[in-house]
Amino acid sequence: MKVISVVGARPQFVKLAPVAAAFARTALEHVIIHTGQHYDARMSEVFFADLAIPAPDVHLGIGSGTHGVQTGAMLAALDPVLTEVSADWVLVYGDTNSTVAAALAAVKQQRRVAHLEAGLRSFNRAMPEEHNRVLTDHAADLLLAPTELAMGHLAREGLAERSLLVGDVMTDVCLKVRASVAELPLPDELPAAVAESSVGFVVATVHRAENTDDPVRLAAVLDALAGLDVPVALLAHPRLEARCQAYGLVLRRGALHPLAPLAYPDMVRALLGARGVVTDSGGLQKEAYLLGTPCTTLRTETEWVETLAGGWNVLDPGLTKVKELADRDKPASDRGTPYGDGHAAERVVDVLAEA
Ligand code: UD1
């Protein structure tokens, strides 16, 4: 039995880590294809190194482009590779352009596709990720859902028979890394003004198209972050840097302390030490929740709605509450375990082996 994992963007490397480790404990053959959607070392190689993921067997080197150009280039490049490797399953992850390209390339060859992190919905059709999720779920043969809510979405779209609840593989990684970094000092990458602040600090990330593509919106987001009452470690995704440069927006001002994206273990350590997180990232909302750090999300909705319970995560698309919310005290309510027990990846591998 042979399974191909297709990955390409930062969050997919995190999801791949526990899955690759689970495959390594079996006799199954696991082939990793990297599309090259993310190519900067800090967005790609460091994740393979820190999370002990085997190097990709095939690297397509696609790089950046408009959605159509990038997705189309991946589709064309994957076609001969899927034929040559000829696996029993093609496993795709999450909701990026790499996900939908791989799903489409596989079904066009009538190969079985499994979608990990199936059934998430924002119901916001302006988001490129929402197109990618819906199209991938409907193309796939096996839908591996992280939560009960995701299972419900799939059932409402007529996909119940192909769906299975396995839990969230990002939770597997987050809980494991938490155990290994909890006693470590804050990462050296955090500027002294952040790490030594007597009033604590906030970790922030901004990269979604809806927050970065419009100069007026991006300026408003940065103004709101610069005006917070505590120092902000702004982990600047290359997309954010590129947009700021194009629009002439300054990142280093007020409470803002921009720095390069952190490696995964450093990110977990920083989140454990932060008073709060302000973000538009899906993964970070969930990591903040798992690590018990209050989160403020600069979006109109979230796919990870379980994080909203008890006020652990609060949506503030209008930027009107972020100043009060960013460094709020931890809510008193219990968080429960809506994202599973940290063993989702083993279930994924078992299911593929038996299917
Ligand atoms: C992609 C995913 C998004 C995911 C995010 C995680 C899609 C549609 N979006 O968004 O769902 O949350 O990854 O990070 O697939 N760039 C670099 N170096 C890199 C990668 C990107 O400089 O290694 C810059 C380029 O200017 C590029 C821009 O970032 O044009 C955007 O990259 P892209 O992969 O298109 O989308 P992300 O914003 O990273």
Side-chain angles (χ1 to χ4, degrees):
M1 156 81 80
K2 194 193 284 185
V3 178
I4 295 178
S5 280
V6 183
V7 292
R10 181 170 59 174
Q12 292 167 327
F13 310 139
V14 178
K15 292 165 202 172
L16 172 63
V19 173
F23 272 118
R25 292 192 287 271
T26 69
L28 304 176
E29 193 180 344
H30 183 222
V31 176
I32 299 173
I33 301 180
H34 189 319
T35 64
Q37 177 169 352
H38 285 172
Y39 42 86
D40 288 347
R42 282 177 179 278
M43 301 292 286
S44 177
E45 272 104 314
V46 292
F47 289 85
F48 283 80
D50 287 332
L51 300 176
I53 307 170
D57 298 279
V58 181
H59 199 300
L60 303 176
I62 299 299
S64 302
T66 59
H67 291 285
V69 165
Q70 187 180 54
T71 309
M74 290 172 188
L75 188 55
L78 280 164
D79 204 41
V81 179
L82 295 187
T83 304
E84 197 187 316
V85 178
S86 190
D88 300 285
W89 281 101
V90 176
L91 179 59
V92 301
Y93 299 69
D95 57 16
T96 74
N97 290 344
S98 297
T99 314
V100 72
L104 196 51
V107 343
K108 289 284 182 193
Q109 292 191 7
Q110 306 207 352
R111 295 185 186 281
R112 291 191 297 173
V113 183
H115 182 204
L116 183 57
E117 213 177 76
L120 292 190
R121 296 290 182 268
S122 66
F123 302 103
N124 175 356
R125 283 181 49 83
M127 282 179 76
E129 292 83 0
E130 185 74 355
H131 317 150
N132 291 341
R133 290 179 195 121
V134 172
L135 293 169
T136 302
D137 281 339
H138 284 260
D141 302 278
L142 178 61
L143 302 170
L144 301 167
T147 60
E148 292 283 1
L149 198 85
M151 289 292 284
H153 293 151
L154 293 169
R156 272 191 291 285
E157 293 175 27
L159 300 172
E161 281 180 12
R162 290 187 249 162
S163 307
L164 210 61
L165 178 65
V166 289
D168 174 46
V169 296
M170 281 183 116
T171 297
D172 298 10
V173 194
C174 188
L175 298 182
K176 193 166 160 216
V177 171
R178 176 181 64 182
S180 68
V181 303
E183 304 302 323
L184 297 180
L186 285 170
D188 291 341
E189 283 82 355
L190 293 183
V194 169
E196 291 163 19
S197 158
S198 58
V199 288
F201 64 91
V202 159
V203 170
T205 73
V206 182
H207 79 278
R208 293 263 174 214
E210 67 241 46
N211 280 327
T212 56
D213 281 1
D214 170 20
V216 176
R217 170 69 183 175
L218 179 54
V221 169
L222 295 176
D223 286 348
L225 292 174
L228 296 188
D229 298 324
V230 292
V232 179
L234 176 63
L235 310 177
H237 183 288
R239 183 188 187 104
L240 174 66
E241 298 253 27
R243 296 292 188 269
C244 283
Q245 216 160 21
Y247 305 148
L249 296 172
V250 178
L251 274 180
R252 190 175 301 279
R253 60 201 165 96
L256 279 179
H257 297 271
L259 60 148
L262 289 174
Y264 189 82
D266 292 336
M267 173 66 117
V268 171
R269 182 63 195 89
L271 292 182
L272 285 170
R275 278 195 66 81
V277 175
V278 181
T279 191
D280 58 9
S281 151
L284 206 50
Q285 290 172 52
K286 201 173 38 181
E287 281 146 8
Y289 181 82
L290 293 170
L291 298 169
T293 307
C295 182
T296 307
T297 298
L298 306 182
R299 286 181 49 195
T300 45
E301 72 284 307
T302 177
E303 299 77 23
W304 301 105
V305 288
E306 299 83 359
T307 60
L308 300 172
W312 283 95
N313 185 16
V314 178
L315 302 176
D316 183 27
L319 307 168
T320 53
K321 298 177 282 183
V322 62
K323 194 171 165 68
E324 277 163 59
L325 289 174
D327 62 340
R328 68 188 183 277
D329 289 338
K330 287 179 198 277
S333 64
D334 186 24
R335 302 195 299 288
T337 54
Y339 299 118
D341 56 3
H343 295 281
E346 288 148 42
R347 279 193 284 280
V348 168
V349 171
D350 286 349
V351 168
L352 291 176
E354 285 161 22

